[in-house]
Amino acid sequence: MWPSDGGQAIPRRPCVIIINFPRRYAIQTLSELDDRALRDIGIEHSRIESAVRGTVDPDFGRIM
């Protein structure tokens, strides 16, 4: 039996794994793309993780 965790049905650790799995998959998939494909969608290799997590500056990829 799980220790009391405030009434949550699922322990915290499995929730973190379930939430992070799609992010890790997206990072892996984007990392396999070449520079040209990434440039087409407005990301650089060094910013893949930030883009997946939603912390990239939206103006970064815009051409002025």
Side-chain angles (χ1 to χ4, degrees):
M1 180 162 215
W2 298 103
S4 177
D5 58 358
Q8 293 178 349
I10 301 174
R12 180 167 172 72
R13 187 48 114 186
C15 285
V16 171
I17 293 169
I18 292 168
I19 291 169
N20 285 329
F21 181 77
R23 289 181 183 158
R24 288 193 336 236
Y25 181 75
I27 291 168
Q28 177 184 356
T29 302
L30 288 170
S31 295
E32 294 171 359
L33 297 177
D34 62 6
D35 289 331
R36 183 176 181 190
L38 287 171
R39 190 171 41 242
D40 286 345
I41 58 175
I43 338 177
E44 293 179 342
H45 270 282
S46 63
R47 295 181 178 239
I48 289 174
E49 191 168 339
S50 297
V52 170
R53 296 191 188 285
T55 58
V56 169
D57 178 12
D59 293 327
F60 173 74
R62 295 188 181 172
I63 299 173
M64 300 273 185

